[in-house]
Amino acid sequence: MYNHGMSQKQKALEWIGSAKKDLMALPVEVRKFFGHALDFAQRGDQHSAAKVLKGFGSAGVLEVVEDDAGGTYRAVYTVKFENAVYVLHCFQKKSKSGIETPKADMDIIRARLKVAELLTKGVTK
């Protein structure tokens, strides 16, 4: 059966740790923007605002950055796995110095990436 508008199966969206709760705490326009970028990822596309997050080699870890009056917000996700797009972390970048992702946030992202790996190993599709 031919399915219009979808070149391939859309990946599921999975949330690791408090990522979904953290996203819901962000301003509504930021949430909408991140949701749009994640929708692209689920379809196998990369939103123009998504960039590869440094420090993960070629692990397929991306971040989307959005600014509003209240500050800078980031959503980090991975497209590394076949079965789903895993949202690893959503947060407000508080530091005004530099563009580096703070170490505490990098640690959370690394830990949640490991969780996503374990989840995919348990998934048979």
Side-chain angles (χ1 to χ4, degrees), residues 7 11 16 18 20 24 29 31-34 56-57 68 71-72 75-76 81 90-92 95 100 107 112 116:
S7 56
K11 286 186 178 183
I16 307 288
S18 61
K20 180 124 191 213
M24 290 309 172
E29 290 306 317
R31 286 202 323 251
K32 281 183 188 166
F33 183 78
F34 287 166
F56 293 92
D68 84 342
T72 299
V76 178
F81 308 109
C90 298
F91 62 104
Q92 180 174 4
S95 160
E100 293 275 299
D107 290 344
R112 291 183 181 171

Side-chain angles (χ1 to χ4, degrees), residues 32-44:
K32 281 183 188 166
F33 183 78
F34 287 166
H36 189 59
L38 290 168
D39 190 52
F40 268 68
Q42 285 179 272
R43 291 193 306 254

Side-chain angles (χ1 to χ4, degrees), residues 30-77:
V30 175
R31 286 202 323 251
K32 281 183 188 166
F33 183 78
F34 287 166
H36 189 59
L38 290 168
D39 190 52
F40 268 68
Q42 285 179 272
R43 291 193 306 254
D45 292 328
Q46 186 174 324
H47 192 278
S48 58
K51 305 279 182 276
V52 173
L53 184 61
K54 290 180 176 64
F56 293 92
S58 59
V61 176
L62 296 105
E63 74 169 345
V64 182
V65 180
E66 175 71 335
D67 296 305
D68 84 342
T72 299
Y73 303 89
R74 295 174 179 222
V76 178
Y77 61 95

Side-chain angles (χ1 to χ4, degrees), residues 66 71 83 86 107 125:
E66 175 71 335
N83 61 313
Y86 288 93
D107 290 344
K125 277 192 179 162

Side-chain angles (χ1 to χ4, degrees), residues 95-110:
S95 160
K96 296 282 177 263
S97 62
I99 56 167
E100 293 275 299
T101 302
K103 183 183 182 308
D105 292 302
M106 290 297 277
D107 290 344
I108 289 170
I109 293 162
R110 282 201 179 90

